Amino acid sequence: MSQAEQTHDRFRGLKVVEMTVNAGPVKLVEAASFNLAAGELVALLGPNGAGKTSLLRGVIGLAPRESGHARIDGQDTADMQPLKRARQLAYLPQNRPLAWPNPVRDVVALGRFSHGAALGRLRGTDLQAVQSALAACDLDTLARRSTSTLSGGELARVHCARAFAAEAPLLIADEPVAELDPYHQFRVMDLIRDFVDQGGGALVVLHDVVLARRYADRFLWMKDGRIVADGSPAETLSAERLAQIYGVRGDVDGERLELLGPL
Amino acid sequence: MRADFAALIVACAAALFAACLLGSTPMEIERVLAALVGRGAPGDELVVLQIRLPRALTAFAVGAALGTSGAALQGLLRNPLAEPGVLGISSVASLGATGALYYGLAAMSAWAMPAAAILGALAGTALIALAALRTSSAVTLILIGVGLASFAGAAMNLMMNLAPNPFSLADMINWMLGSVANRSLLDLAFAAPFLLTGLGILFAARRGLSALTLGEEAASGVGLNLRRQRLAVVLGTGLATGAAVALAGVIGFVGIVAPHIVRPMVDHDPARSLLPSALLAGLILVLADIGVRLTPTVSELKLGVVAALVGAPAFIWIAMQRRTVHD
């Protein structure tokens, strides 16, 4: 991982300023501003339709912005060539359809696309990165297996490994643990936490507040296209917040957190 | 894979030689070899170099163009059923050729029909390229292709409907059935620049097809320039397919069948499927054309008819194997 650490050392953070993303006349994200530093795992929380995915796509430069900036180390992602951008940030979208039943190793190797790797001819740093990503996600024994034969939990690990193989300093993940059982939710979040502890940064959309509080350093709360709160779980998580954001009654008391039902 | 690949090359060479060997004029191997190196009897050289070899090479070139185009389109659209026909490119190319026949241009110049087919393919390609710039959805692109194919089909039917005389009707029908009979090295030379340029563009863009395995969103995420990739595949396909249609008319389904057979041998990687798909599709058409020539029927069977008779059931079978529907 020495090369990865070097990359992470250079990462000085993501800075999003007054970013507005719209689709035609509809504002999906309005004037969003936040920072993300190396070594930080930030959870993006909010109800369905709050604009979380649009925020991620705007940050990456995949969704057209009406105004604002999203800069990594001073350069706007919207101005980066796709290859360069991919070396700065790895993106796990919400929908992760695999078109063909490729072997696990090949899917993970696609994380090296921006480094020029060609499937079936991996060598040097590409080969090392793929092998360490496979090992980190416990996929060594599955490397030759076809992805069409894997369970949901195994597939989630394959996608994580694909993102880690890029050795990009910033990970942006849209609901990486959706549809996973509790054990695999912990497994995937552990992987992301390890990535961050080694000096990376991660922006992760989560729906499970309990899980988010366990893993995240900071919460970004989103509602109706706006970031309404930004701070540590201790600062921003309260019964009032749960009511305001999700419209649910919650019992928040120190370490205890329970969702009791709709308002 | 390496052994499969070597076997495929040997099989292609053997099939091309067999195509020179077999036919209505029986000839021994030595005479064919002598003719191939220019030391045969004049009659032998005429049969081998002017008739059989150009025909076999045309079948191979058409197969290679369609196999590569099919494999590339399948990678781009992430759909094993995609091929030049699906995007309407073959149909518009064919419309160009039939138009040249209908307006009598083909009778005025031997170059008119090939030129019209390539212009048609490029027009179809340009339309698809414009659409590809406006949409990022593969489904939309396929639907536009279906519309394009339907329109070209209707326009061809209209021309047959209004055909001025039975002779031009027969000409058009002959063209639409698809064949490599009576092609000369000159025909091949005219199509080659387009065909090779198209194949070159597709091979240069092959790595992006691997990335598209992840879906368009994640493919952009790993660094693929989606628009450029789409343009490259559509342009390469347009040139290669236009050249193929100019040479042989519409030969369907080989662009679906060959990549389907190749895919499991290359770990389902679209990039690695291009070259073997080209060779296998070429091999299939050379063999099919030998079969067409050797079948004793009253009038010679058309290669396009035989390809569709075998290919269409294969298409249905492949369609029924699909487990899920992708976007």
Side-chain angles (χ1 to χ4, degrees), chain B:
Chain B
M1 177 54 218
R2 199 145 288 183
D4 294 337
F5 193 62
L8 198 51
I9 290 176
V10 171
C12 287
L16 284 172
F17 184 72
C20 294
L21 187 67
L22 303 169
S24 51
T25 314
M27 238 187 260
E28 297 87 44
I29 290 179
E30 299 83 55
R31 279 171 63 194
V32 172
L33 281 173
L36 278 174
V37 296
R39 291 185 187 170
D44 290 356
E45 282 190 21
L46 180 75
V47 168
V48 172
L49 294 181
Q50 301 296 320
I51 298 172
R52 291 183 186 170
L53 184 64
R55 181 171 180 157
L57 285 177
T58 302
F60 186 78
V62 168
L66 296 176
T68 311
S69 299
L73 287 172
Q74 286 156 27
L76 179 74
L77 303 175
R78 302 182 303 290
N79 186 329
L81 300 176
E83 61 127 6
V86 170
L87 281 189
I89 294 168
S90 297
S91 307
V92 185
S94 182
L95 173 63
T98 358
L101 285 169
Y102 180 76
Y103 288 105
L105 300 175
M108 283 152 59
S109 160
W111 303 105
M113 199 154 81
I118 286 170
L119 281 178
L122 287 175
T125 303
L127 268 170
I128 294 286
L130 275 177
L133 285 176
R134 293 171 57 90
T135 176
S136 61
S137 156
V139 175
T140 312
L141 216 55
I142 290 181
L143 288 177
I144 291 169
V146 168
L148 206 56
S150 305
F151 177 78
M156 281 188 279
N157 288 343
L158 179 69
M159 282 194 263
M160 291 204 285
N161 194 170
L162 300 177
N165 57 60
F167 302 109
S168 61
L169 183 62
D171 271 355
M172 281 190 265
I173 290 176
N174 264 338
W175 177 262
M176 288 164 78
L177 293 181
S179 168
V180 289
N182 306 322
R183 298 303 186 268
S184 68
L185 288 175
L186 200 63
D187 292 330
L188 207 53
F190 182 83
F194 299 97
L195 202 149
L196 293 176
T197 307
L199 293 186
I201 292 173
L202 293 178
F203 279 106
R206 68 189 187 283
R207 217 167 61 85
L209 300 175
S210 306
L212 277 167
T213 298
L214 299 172
E216 293 186 346
E217 185 88 347
S220 324
V222 298
L224 181 69
N225 187 329
L226 259 189
R227 284 186 176 180
R228 194 184 298 170
Q229 181 71 26
R230 266 190 234 116
L231 274 176
V233 173
V234 170
L235 191 63
T237 303
L239 286 170
T241 305
V245 171
L247 280 169
V250 175
I251 311 268
F253 300 107
V254 68
I256 289 178
V257 172
H260 185 78
I261 297 170
V262 163
R263 221 174 276 122
M265 300 177 197
V266 295
D267 280 344
H268 297 271
D269 175 15
R272 277 178 282 170
S273 79
L274 288 197
L275 190 55
S277 293
L279 294 174
L280 182 60
L283 175 65
I284 289 173
L285 284 195
V286 172
L287 293 178
D289 192 51
I290 293 175
V292 160
R293 281 164 47 208
L294 296 184
T295 308
T297 43
V298 181
S299 57
E300 189 183 279
L301 289 175
K302 297 287 183 191
L303 183 58
V305 175
V306 175
L309 280 176
V310 179
F315 173 86
I316 294 169
W317 186 77
I318 295 169
M320 286 169 65
Q321 302 295 307
R322 287 184 36 86
R323 293 163 295 124
T324 51
V325 177
H326 298 290
D327 65 332

Side-chain angles (χ1 to χ4, degrees), chain A residues 159-170:
Chain A
H159 287 291
C160 282
R162 192 270 289 166
F164 295 149
E167 292 181 340
L170 175 62

